[in-house]
Amino acid sequence: MIPLKLKIAGFLSYREPVTLDFSGFNLACISGPNGAGKSALLDAITWALFGQARKRDESIINNHPSVSAAEVTLDFDYEGNRYRVQRTNPRGKTSSVEFFILSALSGQKDPWKPLTERTLRETDQKIQETLRMDFDTFTNASFFLQGKADQFAMARPGERKRILSNILGLEIWEVYRDSANRQRRDHEQQVRELEGRLSEIQGELDEGPQRIERLENLQTQLAELTKQREERAEILENVRRIHAALEDQRKLLGTLHAQLENANRGYQHTLATLQTRRKEKAGYDEILAQADSIEAAYEAWQGTRKALAAMEELAAQYRQRESLRQAPLREMHAESARLTQEQKGLEEQKAILEKALTETEALSATIKAAQDKIETMQNQLAQREKLEDEIRQLQADQAEAKAENPRLKEEMGELRERIDQLEAARSTDCPLCGQPLAENERKELVSALTKKGEALRDRFYQNKELLSGFESQLKKMGARLADLKGVDRELQEAIRQSEQVKNQLTTIKNQQTVWEEKGAPRLVEISKVLAQETFAADARERLRAIDTELVELGYDLEAHEALRQAEGAGREAEANLRALEQARAALAPIEREINGLEAQLAEQEQAVEKWTKDHAEAAARIASAESDLPDLAQAESSLHDIQEQENRTRMTVGAARQKVAVLETLKQRKEKFSEEREQVTQRIRDLKQLERAFGKDGVPALLIEQALPEIIETTNDLLSRLTNGYMSINL
């Protein structure tokens, strides 16, 4: 990995943004006093790549109050590609990391292609996989951490071997070994499956002789069952022919029975018709005997109808004039309802106004109480604003003290170090600046630095005392402020209530003025009109004229109703006259029909006797044949049973034949599976050799052994040059 550019902001001692360009030099020496940020540069590289440095979490953020986050961006080349890692840790929030690669395509607006994964952990893993090393490997392979120069030498042998393996890129051999191991397990599972199949095939092949013998026995049974089935089928056919002949006789009996039923129904129908006609003739004879009285009642009913028609004409004239009364009556009722409704509305207004006037004194008292509350709330609001200003000033003093004390402590440490250097120096030169320094000047400088340190110390303890009492003082002021929290809301509510009550008083006064000017006089006027019934004068006059005309017409409702009842009672005379005319016309035809029905009834009686005799003879013949009839159901059941036995045996023969036929196929499959098992077994032996070769004692161990001499030689060469041959290393 070759670093190209490092950008730092808010990280450890680097408060302001700083950019370090590595492309301008191949070798550099970094020097400066303690705390200048030399080690922070290396910490920035490891923190950007792996999220690890000397400090962790938010302690890496510069402690200046203006710094809200630590951010480091590192550009580097690795294996022909250029990468960028940008890691950020905001104060009080979750840290994040972004990983990019420079795209080779030209003309793009943003040439950096993101490689960032979904989570921080996955992105860190992606960076380690790209570099093929973790934090420990990087720090051992690239530089010595401060105070950990012997970290690699003091590590356990296994850990040193792991670090060397990561540096040499030997982890790929572990991937090869895992792949060979997975393939070997898969092939071993395949061998177990093949052996299971071969075991099943061999078990079936061992059953070959028994299968052939069973097939021959089943074929013999099938032939015997086929012969029995043919014999029973012939017996069943004979029984069916006998049953068919008997069925023909039953059909003939059914035909005779139907004809007998038809003859009976015809006889009964003719008899019922004859009885009905005889009854009708008797009724006609009875009507004809009352002919004189029926004709007289009809003539009287005609007279009543004429009188009723004259009365109906007079009633129509009366109803026509009666309908004219509805218009003036509706006008009178409508005007009365309107005035009554208006009167009711005015009385309700009067009652509401009287009730409101009784509440004015209470409303005035409410306004006075609201004004007093508003004045109290305004005083409390002024107290709250003053208290908020005091809290803001206290918080500002606390923030300033909290930010100033670390700086004061650092300055006191620097002064103490300078004083110690001045007091410990024995030469005539200043240990701080290198200029000549007399003894009295040294003492004056020490005295001045001591006074400055005491002033810083006093300021430090003053801030510390402020910080120690800050929480309790802020808590007390916060409690007082909480008591005044709802002052704004209560003040607005008091103002709203006061304005609302004032509006109610104004509304009541306006309503009283309007009532005295308009409402009260109108209520007196309406009450007088309703009491004297002087409304709707035109309608009342028209109603009196119509009533006079109705009296002059002379219509009698009771006489009209009596005529109507008499006409209704006489309508039976019209029906009786129609019945008399019908009886006179129908008497001769019905007598002729009765004579014909009597002759037809005699013929039908002879036919019923004949069909009854024929039906009895046919029934006797069928009864004689049924006594000697063989059992058809038994014959069918016997054939069905033997057919089922034959079918089951035929299916069993087919299954046995199939089992015998499959033996040859099983022999071929056995040979195929045996060859496949041998091939897979050989592949397993090859993979086991590869596992041993790819393991830690195989090729990786050989590569480490070959690299060790070169590593030792290069390391000793560097140590010899650095220590003038004093130090060396042996692995």
Side-chain angles (χ1 to χ4, degrees):
M1 185 198 77
I2 302 175
L4 298 177
K5 184 180 292 185
L6 181 66
K7 295 181 180 179
I8 308 175
F11 182 81
L12 293 178
S13 56
Y14 290 91
R15 185 178 72 187
E16 300 297 332
V18 175
T19 300
L20 180 60
D21 189 357
F22 292 90
S23 61
F25 54 85
N26 294 323
L27 179 65
C29 175
I30 305 175
S31 64
N34 290 337
K38 302 184 296 298
S39 300
L41 294 175
L42 300 178
D43 285 328
I45 295 175
T46 61
W47 185 72
L49 293 174
F50 307 106
Q52 296 189 41
R54 286 175 297 168
K55 299 182 179 181
R56 292 181 177 273
D57 301 329
E58 293 189 2
S59 59
I60 64 170
I61 305 175
N62 188 275
N63 56 14
H64 195 274
S66 63
V67 178
S68 59
E71 181 176 345
V72 177
T73 303
L74 176 64
D75 295 352
F76 61 91
D77 286 344
Y78 183 70
E79 293 186 348
N81 293 314
R82 180 160 298 179
Y83 298 92
R84 171 175 289 176
V85 179
Q86 181 176 343
R87 191 177 298 270
T88 306
N89 187 3
R91 196 185 302 276
K93 298 182 180 179
T94 305
S95 61
S96 62
V97 61
E98 302 289 339
F99 189 31
F100 304 93
I101 185 172
L102 187 63
S103 176
L105 299 176
S106 60
Q108 292 184 346
K109 185 176 181 180
D110 186 2
W112 291 101
K113 177 183 177 182
L115 301 176
T116 308
E117 299 291 342
R118 293 184 302 107
T119 63
L120 175 65
R121 184 186 298 275
E122 292 175 355
T123 304
D124 285 341
Q125 185 63 31
K126 179 75 172 181
I127 296 172
Q128 293 186 26
E129 290 175 356
T130 302
L131 296 175
R132 293 202 294 275
M133 65 177 71
D134 56 11
F135 174 76
D136 294 333
T137 304
F138 182 80
T139 53
N140 280 278
S142 302
F143 60 85
F144 291 143
L145 291 173
Q146 185 174 352
K148 296 184 179 180
D150 58 348
Q151 179 178 353
F152 180 77
M154 297 301 293
R156 294 190 298 273
E159 183 65 17
R160 291 201 301 271
K161 187 174 182 180
R162 185 190 67 81
I163 294 172
L164 286 175
S165 296
N166 289 340
I167 294 172
L168 297 174
L170 300 181
E171 66 274 6
I172 191 62
W173 294 98
E174 182 64 22
V175 177
Y176 296 158
R177 190 192 68 80
D178 291 341
S179 176
N181 180 268
R182 287 193 300 271
Q183 294 184 41
R184 175 181 59 78
R185 290 198 300 270
D186 293 342
H187 284 78
E188 288 176 347
Q189 178 62 28
Q190 187 177 357
V191 168
R192 287 192 291 271
E193 293 175 358
L194 289 172
E195 289 178 347
R197 294 180 183 178
L198 287 171
S199 177
E200 294 175 1
I201 292 172
Q202 186 60 45
E204 293 193 42
L205 291 175
D206 293 341
E207 297 176 358
Q210 293 86 347
R211 293 184 181 184
I212 295 173
E213 181 180 358
R214 185 169 184 271
L215 176 60
E216 293 174 353
N217 294 335
L218 289 172
Q219 288 175 339
T220 302
Q221 293 178 16
L222 180 61
E224 180 64 25
L225 290 172
T226 302
K227 182 179 179 181
Q228 294 179 15
R229 189 255 306 163
E230 292 174 351
E231 293 174 353
R232 295 185 185 183
E234 185 177 355
I235 294 172
L236 177 62
E237 185 62 28
N238 293 330
V239 173
R240 284 176 175 170
R241 283 196 292 270
I242 296 172
H243 277 267
L246 181 61
E247 186 63 27
D248 291 339
Q249 294 182 18
R250 289 183 179 136
K251 291 180 180 178
L252 177 60
L253 179 64
T255 302
L256 293 173
H257 180 74
Q259 290 174 345
L260 176 60
E261 290 292 327
N262 289 334
N264 277 323
R265 282 194 297 271
Y267 177 79
Q268 295 297 329
H269 179 266
T270 302
L271 179 61
T273 303
L274 178 60
Q275 292 174 351
T276 301
R277 294 297 179 265
R278 286 173 179 174
K279 187 176 181 180
E280 290 177 0
K281 182 178 179 299
Y284 291 153
D285 291 340
E286 184 179 356
I287 293 173
L288 289 173
Q290 302 175 6
D292 295 339
S293 62
I294 290 174
E295 290 174 348
Y298 180 76
E299 290 296 333
W301 177 67
Q302 288 294 329
T304 303
R305 290 187 64 189
K306 290 180 181 179
L308 179 62
M311 185 61 74
E312 289 286 351
E313 183 178 356
L314 183 61
Q317 296 177 8
Y318 184 87
R319 285 192 295 271
Q320 182 178 6
R321 287 169 175 77
E322 176 73 17
S323 64
L324 298 176
R325 299 180 78 250
Q326 301 304 316
L329 285 174
R330 282 195 297 270
E331 292 180 15
M332 292 167 60
H333 291 159
E335 182 64 15
S336 175
R338 186 186 66 79
L339 292 173
T340 302
Q341 184 65 30
E342 186 178 359
Q343 182 188 33
K344 183 178 179 181
L346 291 171
E347 290 175 349
E348 290 178 354
Q349 291 180 14
K350 180 180 179 182
I352 293 172
L353 179 60
E354 290 175 351
K355 182 179 179 182
L357 290 173
T358 60
E359 297 175 353
T360 54
E361 184 176 352
L363 293 175
S364 300
T366 303
I367 293 175
K368 180 63 171 59
Q371 293 293 340
D372 295 341
K373 187 175 182 181
I374 290 171
E375 184 177 356
T376 302
M377 292 299 102
Q378 288 175 343
N379 293 334
Q380 291 181 355
L381 185 61
Q383 294 176 11
R384 191 186 71 177
E385 292 176 354
K386 180 180 180 182
L387 185 60
E388 288 175 347
D389 292 339
E390 293 177 358
I391 291 175
R392 283 193 292 270
Q393 183 61 40
L394 180 62
Q395 290 174 338
D397 295 342
Q398 184 265 349
E400 183 178 358
K402 189 174 181 180
E404 187 180 22
N405 264 17
R407 181 180 59 79
L408 292 173
K409 188 174 182 180
E410 185 178 354
E411 291 181 4
M412 286 190 293
E414 293 177 356
L415 288 174
R416 182 71 265 169
E417 184 179 354
R418 294 170 64 184
I419 291 171
D420 291 342
Q421 290 178 358
L422 289 170
E423 291 178 345
R426 295 292 180 265
S427 64
T428 58
D429 295 333
C430 178
L432 301 179
C433 61
Q435 299 295 325
L437 185 66
E439 183 63 26
N440 60 337
E441 293 176 342
R442 184 194 309 275
K443 291 180 180 180
E444 291 176 359
L445 182 57
V446 169
S447 176
L449 292 175
T450 300
K451 290 181 180 180
K452 183 177 181 181
E454 291 174 351
L456 293 174
R457 182 193 60 194
D458 294 341
R459 178 62 175 172
F460 178 84
Y461 283 111
Q462 182 181 357
N463 289 339
K464 191 172 182 180
E465 182 179 357
L466 173 63
L467 292 173
S468 62
F470 170 76
E471 292 297 335
S472 61
Q473 188 175 359
L474 183 63
K475 186 175 181 180
K476 293 178 181 178
M477 298 173 72
R480 291 167 55 196
L481 184 63
D483 295 337
L484 301 175
K485 185 176 182 181
V487 172
D488 289 338
R489 184 172 63 255
E490 294 180 5
L491 176 60
Q492 295 299 324
E493 179 64 19
I495 294 174
R496 185 189 65 78
Q497 291 180 356
S498 176
E499 294 297 327
Q500 183 177 4
V501 175
K502 289 179 180 179
N503 292 334
Q504 289 180 356
L505 282 174
T506 302
T507 302
I508 291 172
K509 292 179 180 179
N510 293 336
Q511 290 176 349
Q512 184 180 11
T513 302
V514 172
W515 171 258
E516 291 174 351
E517 293 177 355
K518 297 180 180 180
R522 178 60 178 167
L523 179 59
V524 172
E525 179 185 355
I526 291 175
S527 301
K528 181 179 179 181
V529 169
L530 288 174
Q532 297 175 359
E533 294 186 352
T534 57
F535 55 87
D538 293 342
R540 292 178 182 275
E541 183 64 28
R542 292 200 307 273
L543 182 63
R544 281 194 294 272
I546 293 171
D547 290 341
T548 301
E549 292 179 359
L550 289 175
V551 172
E552 293 174 354
L553 190 61
Y555 170 72
D556 189 351
L557 179 61
E558 294 181 356
H560 188 184
E561 183 62 27
L563 285 174
R564 202 180 275 124
Q565 293 178 359
E567 192 275 337
R571 289 181 184 179
E572 184 180 356
E574 184 180 17
N576 292 336
L577 182 64
R578 298 288 180 269
L580 178 61
E581 293 174 351
Q582 184 179 3
R584 288 171 177 171
L587 183 60
I590 201 170
E591 289 177 347
R592 290 193 298 270
E593 185 178 359
I594 289 173
N595 294 331
L597 288 172
E598 290 175 347
Q600 183 181 354
L601 187 63
E603 294 176 357
Q604 289 177 342
E605 185 176 1
Q606 294 177 358
V608 168
E609 293 177 355
K610 176 182 179 300
W611 289 119
T612 302
K613 180 181 178 182
D614 293 343
H615 181 269
E617 293 175 352
R621 289 194 299 271
I622 290 175
S624 176
E626 286 179 344
S627 62
D628 300 330
L629 186 67
D631 192 346
L632 176 62
Q634 182 179 358
E636 290 177 342
S637 176
S638 178
L639 177 60
H640 181 266
D641 293 342
I642 198 67
Q643 284 177 338
E644 286 187 347
Q645 293 181 28
E646 182 186 11
N647 291 335
R648 287 195 298 270
T649 305
R650 182 173 284 107
M651 292 174 62
T652 307
V653 169
R657 187 179 290 113
Q658 180 66 25
K659 288 184 177 181
V660 172
V662 81
L663 293 174
E664 186 62 31
T665 303
L666 291 174
K667 292 178 182 178
Q668 297 175 1
R669 292 179 63 191
K670 178 182 178 183
E671 295 177 358
K672 178 182 177 182
F673 288 154
S674 297
E675 294 177 359
E676 186 177 354
R677 180 181 62 180
E678 184 60 30
Q679 294 175 359
V680 176
T681 302
Q682 181 59 41
R683 178 62 176 167
I684 290 173
R685 290 194 290 267
D686 295 341
L687 289 171
K688 286 182 178 179
Q689 292 181 358
L690 287 176
E691 283 187 70
R692 289 191 294 271
F694 296 157
K696 61 181 180 178
D697 296 329
V699 174
L702 294 175
L703 293 176
I704 291 176
E705 290 177 2
Q706 292 177 2
L708 279 177
E710 183 178 352
I711 293 173
I712 294 171
E713 181 181 355
T714 303
T715 303
N716 285 331
D717 179 58
L718 292 172
L719 288 174
S720 177
R721 291 160 59 190
L722 290 172
T723 64
N724 198 19
Y726 180 72
M727 293 181 64
S728 64
I729 189 171
N730 183 30
L731 300 177

